[in-house]
């Protein structure tokens, strides 16, 4: 548990330079919502992110959501935003776009159009086009019918040779549809640290989903934290979004300018 180890981690998180804090959004900064459009981060959490930036910490949000969505959901000047699992990143004075992923945008669009008639037959299902990737959400679909939905979706995509090359990555009641490129949240984190000159051993990464495991594995020297219990490559865990906010509050207090 993270909070059982803060005394040990404290000196590492207080000393100069200020730490780098990288976080997932859904299930980490904001509670999971049945409809992704309804997800909201608590006002206190946004205030804490802004405080950490004022205290000269590097703060980044790395999410499966698009960059456009993140700009709206996390409106904090000075924040690094990484959308579509890090395939598009916006930092202070720099940007990154994975060119191989951009070339696959037409294929993603065709996948979304292929899935729309299937989704229409399953109340509560939603297919979301996020530009570089897409998501099939089924949190509102009954547990009894969800396997049928996934079977039909996979089958429809695999029947088309031009779509069978797409990666289908399961998440928490979501199927991510991605271009088959060598990229993930872990590689995005490494790029962010390289571009900003920040040290991995001065970095905290917090996430709750399978996609965050890539970051946990790519950051062996960082303080990696999983939200929720389960098999994980992270070193520590917190029990939920409330504990993430509590930890950010502790960090902001510990890194106040003297």
């Amino acid at each position: 548990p993270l909070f059982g180890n803060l005394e040990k981690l404290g000196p590492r998180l207080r000393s100069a330079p200020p730490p780098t804090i990288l976080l997932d959004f859904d299930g980490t900064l904001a509670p999971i919502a049945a409809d992704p459009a309804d997800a909201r981060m608590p006002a206190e959490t946004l205030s804490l992110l802004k405080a950490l930036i004022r205290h000269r910490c590097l703060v980044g949000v790395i999410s499966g959501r698009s960059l456009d969505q993140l700009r709206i959901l996390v409106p904090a000047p000075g924040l690094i935003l990484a959308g579509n699992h890090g395939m598009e990143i916006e930092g202070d004075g720099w940007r990154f776009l994975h060119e191989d992923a951009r070339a696959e945008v037409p294929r993603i669009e065709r996948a979304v159009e292929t899935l729309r008639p299937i989704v229409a037959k399953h109340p509560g299902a939603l297919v979301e086009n996020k530009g570089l990737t897409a998501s099939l959400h089924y949190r509102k679909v009954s547990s009894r019918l969800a396997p049928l939905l996934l079977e039909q979706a996979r089958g429809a995509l695999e029947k088309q040779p031009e779509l069978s090359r797409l990666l289908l990555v399961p998440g928490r009641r979501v199927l991510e549809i991605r271009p088959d490129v060598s990229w993930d949240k872990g590689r995005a984190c490494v790029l962010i640290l390289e571009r900003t000159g920040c040290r991995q051993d001065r970095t905290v990464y917090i996430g709750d989903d399978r996609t965050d495991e890539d970051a946990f594995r790519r950051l062996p020297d960082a303080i990696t934290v999983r939200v929720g219990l389960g098999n994980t490559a992270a070193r520590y865990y917190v029990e939920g979004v409330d504990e993430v906010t509590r930890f950010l509050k502790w960090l902001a207090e510990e890194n106040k300018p003297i």
Side-chain angles (χ1 to χ4, degrees):
L2 180 64
F3 284 100
N5 287 275
L6 283 187
E7 185 175 347
K8 177 179 72 175
L9 295 172
R12 183 171 166 187
L13 292 170
R14 292 187 199 104
S15 57
T20 298
I21 303 105
L22 304 175
L23 311 107
D24 180 34
F25 183 78
D26 294 279
T28 300
L29 289 172
I32 294 287
D35 185 334
D38 295 333
R40 293 292 182 273
M41 182 171 52
E44 179 187 12
T45 306
L46 179 59
S47 295
L48 289 169
L49 294 180
K50 291 178 177 179
L52 287 164
I53 292 169
R54 288 197 304 273
H55 299 169
R56 305 186 68 79
C57 295
L58 182 77
V59 183
V61 177
I62 304 176
S63 171
R65 289 179 179 265
S66 71
L67 201 53
D68 288 341
Q69 288 177 318
L70 289 178
R71 291 190 193 104
I72 296 169
L73 291 168
V74 199
L79 195 72
I80 290 179
L81 298 176
N84 278 302
H85 306 285
M87 294 179 194
E88 50 180 354
I89 306 175
E90 186 173 80
D92 185 12
W94 64 277
R95 290 177 64 92
F96 168 80
L97 176 63
H98 198 294
E99 292 298 333
D100 291 342
R102 181 166 68 171
E104 293 294 300
V105 166
R107 203 183 308 271
I108 293 292
E109 291 174 347
R110 286 197 297 275
V112 171
E113 292 307 312
T114 297
L115 292 176
R116 289 197 192 281
I118 296 171
V119 165
K121 297 175 184 177
H122 293 269
L126 169 70
V127 62
E128 178 187 15
N129 187 344
K130 298 179 292 185
L132 299 177
T133 69
S135 293
L136 173 60
H137 301 277
Y138 56 97
R139 189 167 295 277
K140 289 183 175 182
V141 177
S142 72
S143 298
R144 181 175 62 86
L145 295 176
L148 176 61
L149 166 65
L150 293 176
E151 180 184 354
Q152 292 176 345
R154 289 179 181 274
L157 295 176
E158 290 168 358
K159 280 180 184 177
Q160 301 185 49
E162 73 274 17
L163 301 183
S164 63
R165 288 169 43 195
L166 295 172
L167 298 179
L168 305 180
V169 184
R172 293 177 62 180
R173 303 288 288 181
V174 64
L175 184 68
E176 298 283 355
I177 302 149
R178 302 191 213 167
D180 186 6
V181 297
S182 297
W183 202 252
D184 53 44
K185 286 184 176 182
R187 289 178 170 89
C189 287
V190 171
L191 176 64
I192 289 170
L193 296 181
E194 289 175 348
R195 289 287 183 95
T196 58
C198 293
R199 290 165 35 186
Q200 190 177 131
D201 64 350
R202 303 280 301 131
T203 298
V204 178
Y205 185 95
I206 309 177
D208 74 304
D209 207 347
R210 295 184 191 183
T211 57
D212 297 301
E213 294 296 325
D214 295 316
F216 298 151
R217 286 188 289 267
R218 289 269 178 182
L219 301 172
D221 297 326
I223 297 169
T224 49
V225 184
R226 176 187 167 95
V227 183
L229 295 173
N231 293 329
T232 182
R235 295 191 178 195
Y236 305 97
Y237 76 89
V238 293
E239 293 186 357
V241 172
D242 289 347
E243 285 203 350
V244 175
T245 302
R246 177 183 162 197
F247 176 59
L248 294 177
K249 187 173 184 179
W250 181 88
L251 272 176
E253 288 293 326
E254 294 298 319
N255 285 276
K256 272 185 178 178
I258 298 174

